[in-house]
Amino acid sequence: MTDVATLARAHELADEEDRRAGVVTRDARPDELAGVLARFDATWGAGRSFDVASLKAVAHAGNTVLVAVPAQGRADAAGERPDRADPPLGAALGFLGWEGGLHVHSHMNAVDPAARGRGIGVALKLRQRAICLDHGVDEVRWTYDPLIRRNARMNLVRLGAEVAAYHPDFYGELRDAISGGDRSDRFEVRWRLSSPRTTRALERMPQPAWRADGGLPLVADFEAVRAADPDIASALRDASRAAFVALADGRLRPELDANGDYVFTADDPDRAG
């Protein structure tokens, strides 16, 4: 069970990130679920997530269905926000899993494009972390496209998650508003919520200089490349698949170096910076 001091600090960190982002993150209320669905649809395309009834069932069962709403005057916290059917600035969805141990699978995290760069996605993750620790869950997992550098940086450096597995074509053919016809290769990460690695990241301590045994350089904006030239994006995907063969036996895992490129390392993930 997580100790009282760790729980208190988890909520402090979530509150601090809210203030930096200019939002309040919290559980979505029942009358806000249509807005949550609208935020997901605006990000991935209509029909690519849940319907409102399914989202209501997931939330009613106690899973993390979270919103990030503007913090002005904190009026929203008192229930005075009049436009609850509109998409919130950000929304996140996670549900309980037990494959490989009890955890929350953080399936969706969406932010209004006009509000990106403020840290709202991080704020939602930190609120999710605090809620999980409140309920005795000390691990969160999710997947991300390994070629999107900003997501890799957020996941591995800012949050302190670590890559647990590589899944080529994890979701099959998506054809959604983000991926288009690209292959759905994913890294699965595990976020050990009370680990030294996570504490180091969330308290903004220095990251280690990882000892490298291979690696893969990343382009600055793979999404822009994919939109502008799918053939180049496909070649980059091919190169990543060839590089990630080195991870197959589990001896090495990918980390980001100071330049934002992958290095493959066998270092202890919890070692100090």
Side-chain angles (χ1 to χ4, degrees), residues 129 193-205:
R129 173 180 181 259
L193 302 183
S194 300
S195 68
R197 176 188 179 93
T198 296
T199 299
R200 181 189 70 223
L202 297 186
E203 298 292 351
R204 299 175 181 266
M205 299 173 187

Side-chain angles (χ1 to χ4, degrees), residues 62-200:
N63 291 284
T64 53
V65 181
L66 308 179
V67 293
V69 296
Q72 293 93 332
R74 298 187 67 88
D76 175 73
E80 299 169 12
R81 181 171 174 259
D83 55 346
R84 294 178 189 135
D86 290 344
L89 289 176
L93 166 67
F95 45 82
L96 201 63
W98 49 76
E99 178 66 28
L102 187 69
H103 64 279
V104 161
H105 182 81
S106 185
H107 184 52
M108 307 182 92
N109 190 331
V111 176
D112 183 345
R116 287 177 187 162
R118 290 167 43 181
I120 294 173
V122 172
L124 285 163
K125 288 289 192 188
L126 292 191
R127 186 64 60 193
Q128 190 174 52
R129 173 180 181 259
I131 292 169
C132 287
L133 289 172
D134 280 342
H135 290 84
V137 177
D138 62 4
E139 185 170 311
V140 176
R141 302 179 197 167
W142 63 91
T143 64
Y144 79 94
D145 185 333
L147 296 189
I148 299 179
R149 178 185 272 176
R150 62 182 172 81
N151 287 350
R153 182 169 292 283
M154 171 179 160
N155 295 335
L156 306 185
V157 179
R158 179 65 185 91
L159 296 176
E162 64 202 82
V163 174
Y166 170 56
H167 302 293
D169 270 327
F170 184 64
Y171 295 110
E173 188 176 19
L174 291 172
R175 294 282 173 187
D176 61 25
I178 292 177
S179 302
D182 191 14
R183 288 159 283 181
S184 61
D185 298 357
R186 296 293 184 268
F187 276 161
E188 182 178 5
V189 300
R190 59 194 295 253
W191 195 20
R192 294 175 292 121
L193 302 183
S194 300
S195 68
R197 176 188 179 93
T198 296
T199 299
R200 181 189 70 223

Side-chain angles (χ1 to χ4, degrees), residues 4-70:
V4 173
T6 300
L7 286 175
R9 184 57 181 152
H11 284 280
E12 286 174 0
L13 286 167
D15 291 344
E16 290 170 9
E17 199 63 37
D18 277 6
R19 287 191 289 273
R20 273 191 285 267
V23 296
V24 174
T25 55
R26 54 164 174 74
D27 290 314
R29 293 189 288 262
D31 60 352
E32 294 174 312
L33 294 178
V36 170
L37 183 61
R39 173 53 58 217
F40 292 155
D41 285 351
T43 302
W44 286 283
R48 294 291 179 173
S49 57
F50 288 70
D51 57 29
V52 172
S54 298
L55 200 59
K56 184 177 179 66
V58 169
H60 180 74
N63 291 284
T64 53
V65 181
L66 308 179
V67 293
V69 296

Side-chain angles (χ1 to χ4, degrees), residues 215-271:
L216 178 73
L218 294 177
V219 296
D221 191 342
F222 176 76
E223 291 164 299
V225 172
R226 183 166 57 192
D229 195 326
D231 289 339
I232 292 177
S234 182
L236 291 170
R237 184 71 68 189
D238 288 340
S240 74
R241 286 187 166 190
F244 294 154
V245 168
L247 308 176
D249 64 4
R251 184 181 68 84
L252 301 174
R253 73 175 186 286
E255 298 282 2
L256 282 190
D257 66 15
N259 296 319
D261 295 323
Y262 285 123
V263 293
F264 303 156
T265 184
D267 283 354
D268 180 352
D270 284 325
R271 80 175 178 86

